[in-house]
Each structure stands twice: as C-alpha cells, then as structure tokens.
Amino acid sequence: MRPEPKRRTPSGEATPKGVLSVLVGNTPEARGELTRRLARRHPEAVTLSVSVQAATSGPYPVVQRLLAARSAPADGTAPVSSGGTGDPTVILRQDLIVLRRARKDVRVLLTLPQEIDLLPFLLRLWRRRIGADSLDDHYDCAPVLAAVAPSAFLNDIADTREASRLWTGDGWSEPLTTAEVAARQIEAADTLLVAAPAGPHARESAATLLHHLNPRARVTTPHDLSADGGAPTGRRSPADARATWEASLEAVALLPPPPDARSGVSSLVWRARRPLHPGRLADALGDVMFGVLRSRGHLWLANRPDAVIHWRSAGAHLDVREVDRWLDESDTHAWEAASAQRRTLADWLWDDYYGERRNEIRFTGPGLDIERITGALDGALVTDAELSQGRSAWSGWHDPLFPHTRSD
C-alpha cells in the first residue's frame, strides 16, 4: 500500500508522526520485563500501562492507566488521568492524542492486559473516524510485541477450563478457555519474545510451538532486542496494519502454510471443495482431534449449504458455529458489503459449481498423525452419489453438530 501522507506545518514541512508500540504478555512478569527492556532501549519513550476490569454495573469496564516516562511528555498540558469507566478504545485514543499533542515525536509503549482480545481491540482503536481525530493522524504503528513466559504458556495452551471474558473493543466476549486466550494472543503478535525459562527445554519447546501457531511472527528473546536494529519497534503504515488484522479475522480466509516439523511439533492445512456430511464429521471427531493443540478454519456442511461454519479449537475444546454466509453470485449487496480481501479471495477461488464454498482447517500439535486426520476428514466428505442428491436430500440429514437449529 502507498504510505499515508504526513501532516505538514504552515511552512510546508512534513511533521513526523509519533510511534505507537503495543506490548502484551502471557504473565505480568514477562510483560514487565519486555516493557523495561524497551524503555531502556528507547529512553525517550512514554510507557502507558493499562488494566481493564469488569464494572459492577453497566456495559463498560473500569479502565486504569499508569503513565511513566524518564522525561516529561507533557509540555504544560494536562496529564493522562488514572482511571475511569467507559469504552477503553475511546479512553486510550484520547490519552494517546493528548500525548502526541504535547510532544510531536513521542514514542508510546502501550502495554495491554490479558483481558483484551487483541485483534478486534486494535481494529477499533485504530478505526478511521469521520469528523474527528484518528490515531492515523498522530501515530505510525510499530509491530505488536508479545512476551511469552514459556512454562506458563505450555501449561495454558492445553488448559480447557473457562478463563474469563475478553474485551473485544465493543463488548465482552463469551467465556473463553485458558487455552483459547493464550492462542489468540500469540496469533495476534508480529514478534514473539520468549522470556527466560526455568530450563532450556521449556524455552525450546515453547519457541517451536510458537513458530507453528504463528508462522508469520518472528520468534526471539527480550535480550535480543538490544542488538536487533529497528525491526521490533520500527514504523509501519496504520492502513497496512489494519489490512493485516482484518484479514486475520475474516470468516473465510487463506490460512498460513505449515512450517517444517521440528522438535516433535507439526502442522497440517486440510482443504476440500465438496461439502462435509454432518453425521460422518461428528463420528470422525475423535480421530481428527487426537493430539491437536490448536486448530482453526471454516467448513461447508452439506445440510447448511449457505452457512460459513467457523471451526476453532484450543487444547481439547472444540467450538463449531455458524458465523457468516457464503457469497452468492447474484447477491450484489452481499458482495458490496464484503471486505476487499474477501471479494478478492472469492474471485480467485471461485468455482462454477461450488462458488465460494470450501473447507479449510489448520491443525497444530506435537506428533500429529497427518494421515489419520486427513483420512478421517476425507471420509466425512459427501460421496458422488450423495452430492448428486442435492440440497433437498441434504437438508434432511441428522446433524449432531447443530441438533437444535434449523439447517438452510
């Protein structure tokens, strides 16, 4: 994408934007170590630490903020307030704009808590606003950094107990497992920094698994930040960042290819164009999910031919639900409402018979039996004879996955 133009002063000189780095971590200690190292690397930076907690009443949480800087960021302006109840994205956007107005070249280290669902939160925080200041007017993005305490991560990614609700940017999520919360944070980051572990084996195991869960991210250590050039904290266009976040949250998306298996961890991307039989898929789940730590993707169930079915698992917990509709060639309104990424992908993969419909799931785990998973899913696809029966026959099939809802 073309870089966004910088604001210019009355004399015509370009005014540099500030830089906003987002920091998260799977433990307070790991997040704190990363924040301290970055603050030492950028002594001019302002650290804005945030906590978000459910309020006793009302839809919005209590948002606490702590501002720390080696040099005063505000030149006679009001400081960032410490607490309040409201939409965190609105509160933080205003805080950040106040900081930028006080110092034009400010670098902010925004540390967010585990209670934030990072990707939807960032999209709302950076959303372009009509008739009002947006963060784009004041800041460039830096890569999202996630500090990972390896032992805690290896425990969390297999923990299927309900953890808590996450703030998504426009409300609290449904209750999520500890494993799902851990996976989402990892998948949202651009750089993963593995903190010092209790032993070298934990760090190696965690680093390998992190690479498979998020192959586009760089996996390194907080210690390496000091000799890492500008990559972890360099500038990038907010528009480019938004496009990446939006693509990651699409109901229908191309999943990243699996890295080479190493240290016992492997990944698989399974794809198929014809629909799945709901009964045979339910029967195959034991073989499909054995040994899987994380899986995500989308399905086409024959008895729900217009529904995009979202597939997501973390640890041993599997969630399958309807989240969208497949694009229809004649539905102009749906095409116009779809994102540019969705339309491009649909055009690219369009089939004269199936249209946009397809199955795609990515699996990750230690020692995956790829042949068993592939065979079980292939066996759940409709046969040629079943395919020829069409929708009228498919709609009457028993559906163990959605027993209390009507099919299309």
Side-chain angles (χ1 to χ4, degrees), residues 364-377:
T364 294
L368 288 185
D369 188 334
I370 292 175
E371 291 186 1
R372 187 193 69 241
I373 295 173
T374 301
L377 289 170

Side-chain angles (χ1 to χ4, degrees), residues 17-93:
K17 293 183 180 180
V19 181
L20 177 59
S21 293
V22 173
L23 284 57
V24 295
N26 69 325
T27 67
E29 294 78 15
R31 187 169 61 246
E33 179 191 3
L34 173 59
T35 303
R36 288 189 293 273
R37 286 185 179 275
L38 281 177
R40 288 197 295 268
R41 176 177 174 172
H42 297 284
E44 80 286 2
V46 175
T47 300
L48 182 59
S49 301
V50 182
S51 69
V52 175
Q53 298 177 338
T56 55
S57 63
Y60 291 114
V62 177
V63 185
Q64 298 285 344
R65 290 101 70 216
L66 176 64
L67 186 67
R70 293 190 178 187
S71 58
D75 302 326
T77 61
V80 171
S81 58
S82 61
T85 300
D87 184 338
T89 58
V90 173
I91 293 172
L92 292 178
R93 187 187 298 118

